[in-house]
Structures are given as structure tokens and as C-alpha cells.
Amino acid sequence: MTRDPGICVARIGAAHGVRGEVRLWPFTEDPMAVIDYGTLSTKDGARQFEVVRARIAKDHLVAVLKGITTREDAERINGLELYIDRDKLPETEEGEYYHADLIGLRAVDPAGGAIGRVFAIHNFGAGDIIEIAPPQGPTLLLPFTDAVVPTVDLAEGQVVIVMPQEIEGDSPHDADI
């Protein structure tokens, strides 16, 4: 039986200094919440880590992990993603979703025709973007808004996508600017 890895809440980055501190990239709404979750595990569950303390630094945290005491220890865990069991997370509000719940869902048009699968959710600073992987061709990057994604049905395993008529930046007049 395959282990459910839970929800990825952070990724360990490069070592910070010589005493085992690491850069930690949290994927939580509140970056410091990773301290409150207790034991964090690798995807396969083979390794566990606990954030002893952390401080905010630019766009990441600088963290001390229990048992990581040297720069060499920190360098060996660079790139590991850290997960927690879903039941440790709060329930989502209406219209809110954990990205892990959306990735892999079928994407269909309003008539039920297949468009592809949800490949990823991004946020580059101007709102959420849903990335759809069609059966062929490049992925589609669409605004994750009620107008474009009017229905998310986790029970049915699908999202309904209403393709926008025009995506900002696609106008032929944009080239004249």
C-alpha cells in the first residue's frame, strides 16, 4: 500500500552559517506556522524533522531543526520537502482549497468535455493561476477566479473551466506599445 505523504508545508533550502541552520521555504499562509505543526516528515516518511526555532529573513525562514547541528548536516538535507498529516491542518473555508487537493483533478468544460488535468497552482504575486495539462500540447495557465473556474468538485474529482475569451496580453495592439 502506498503511503499518503500528507500535505507539503515546506522545503529545506541551503545551509545558513556553520551551526546547522537552514533556509526554510514554507508553503503555509502564515510562514511561522511550520513551528506549530510538530514533527514534519519527508514524502516517504523515512525521515522526521522538528523546527526548534525560526526567524523571518526576506522571502524565507532561517530555521534550526532538531538534530541538525553542523553545516555539513544542513547541506545533506538541502532540497528535502517536508510534509504533515492532513488532519493537523485546519479545515478550509468555503471556496478555499489546499493545492494538493486540486492537483490531478480532471479539468472539464461546462458541457463536461475533457480539457486536461490540473497540473499545478501558482501565485506570482498577482493572484492564483491554475495550470492545466491538456492531453497534447503546452499547458494552459489560467486565472484561478470564479469566472474561469466556477466549479471545484472534489467529490467528483474535477474542476469546470470556462475558457476566457481574451487573456490580457494577447491583444494584437499590445505589440504596438
Side-chain angles (χ1 to χ4, degrees), residues 47 70-80:
R47 298 192 65 188
T70 67
R71 182 174 185 84
E72 291 74 24
D73 291 342
E75 288 172 345
R76 280 193 286 278
I77 61 173
N78 184 9
L80 289 180

Side-chain angles (χ1 to χ4, degrees), residues 3 8 10 19 33 49 59 67 76 93 99-100 102 127 129 139 144 153 159 161:
R3 177 187 181 277
C8 182
R19 294 193 174 109
F49 299 91
D59 56 354
R76 280 193 286 278
E93 298 290 325
H99 292 189
L102 300 173
I129 303 290
T139 61
F144 196 160
D153 190 336
V159 295
I161 303 292

Side-chain angles (χ1 to χ4, degrees), residues 12-106:
I12 299 171
H16 181 86
V18 296
R19 294 193 174 109
E21 290 182 314
V22 296
R23 289 175 175 87
L24 189 64
W25 303 91
F27 304 133
T28 53
E29 186 174 12
D30 171 10
M32 296 299 283
V34 296
I35 294 172
D36 301 329
Y37 292 137
T39 303
L40 309 173
S41 301
T42 54
K43 188 172 188 171
D44 62 4
R47 298 192 65 188
Q48 287 79 40
F49 299 91
E50 183 179 335
V51 181
V52 176
R53 68 178 176 274
R55 66 183 185 277
I56 296 175
K58 293 189 183 180
D59 56 354
H60 62 280
L61 300 177
V62 174
V64 173
L65 304 177
K66 187 174 185 178
I68 305 299
T69 58
T70 67
R71 182 174 185 84
E72 291 74 24
D73 291 342
E75 288 172 345
R76 280 193 286 278
I77 61 173
N78 184 9
L80 289 180
E81 290 182 332
L82 302 177
Y83 293 76
I84 62 169
D85 291 334
R86 175 178 299 281
D87 61 5
K88 290 185 179 180
L89 291 171
E91 291 296 318
T92 57
E93 298 290 325
E94 180 72 28
E96 292 182 342
Y97 309 95
Y98 290 116
H99 292 189
D101 293 337
L102 300 173
I103 295 170
L105 294 181
R106 291 183 318 277

